[in-house]
Amino acid sequence: MKSLQDRWTILHRQDERTDLIGLNLTGRTPESWLCLDCGVNTAPGWPNRKQTELALLVGGMRCKVTDELEVYMVKNEVWQDTGLEGMGGCLCIGCLEKRIGRRLKPGDFAPGHPFNSLPGTRRLLKRRGR
């Protein structure tokens, strides 16, 4: 049976281990799904980056897909207007709109990105044109 120290070591050494097998998701998935500005969880039931890496390392991951999600991908130009870089964090729709000074429209979303076909909050779906 593994001791608490063994479990801590696995979690503590996670970045090193995931780098070795190519599962380091830094810069490809957000560190947290919490909105940087208001703190709302934009993806309740989804693991953060480190949890995702660990889940992939041990062979299983689950994400709840509900109408509470505000997971989306906007075009690079729109994201640049927020003042954030790349995977610099998450913003709920309301906070993104405050940062860019206008309401989102369907053409602002990255075409063909899988996040933009997920269910979501009513305001997200409305902005995407559904």
Side-chain angles (χ1 to χ4, degrees):
M1 184 165 144
K2 290 189 175 200
S3 70
L4 288 176
Q5 177 62 36
D6 290 337
R7 282 187 270 170
W8 180 86
T9 301
I10 290 169
L11 291 173
H12 177 72
R13 297 180 61 205
Q14 177 185 352
D15 290 335
E16 179 182 311
R17 292 185 67 195
T18 55
D19 280 344
L20 291 175
I21 60 173
L23 290 177
N24 188 326
L25 299 175
T26 302
R28 292 181 284 183
T29 192
E31 296 296 313
S32 166
W33 292 101
L34 301 180
C35 175
L36 293 171
D37 292 354
C38 72
V40 72
N41 188 350
T42 64
W46 285 29
N48 65 29
R49 181 191 60 83
K50 286 191 176 218
Q51 292 167 333
T52 300
E53 287 176 354
L54 184 60
L56 292 172
L57 187 64
V58 297
M61 184 177 80
R62 291 187 178 192
C63 296
K64 277 175 59 174
V65 178
T66 70
D67 60 1
E68 296 175 20
L69 293 176
E70 281 204 345
V71 175
Y72 58 88
M73 187 65 72
V74 291
K75 292 178 178 175
N76 289 336
E77 312 83 68
V78 176
W79 192 252
Q80 287 172 350
D81 290 346
T82 68
L84 298 172
E85 294 187 25
M87 282 291 173
C90 291
L91 293 171
C92 70
I93 294 298
C95 290
L96 184 140
E97 291 176 336
K98 284 180 194 170
R99 282 183 177 235
I100 65 173
R102 66 176 177 81
R103 192 172 181 166
L104 289 169
K105 54 188 184 244
D108 291 327
F109 294 89
H113 194 283
F115 281 174
N116 295 333
S117 62
L118 292 172
T121 62
R122 287 188 348 182
R123 72 178 175 174
L124 172 60
L125 297 179
K126 191 171 184 179
R127 303 312 192 270
R128 289 192 326 217
R130 293 189 191 155

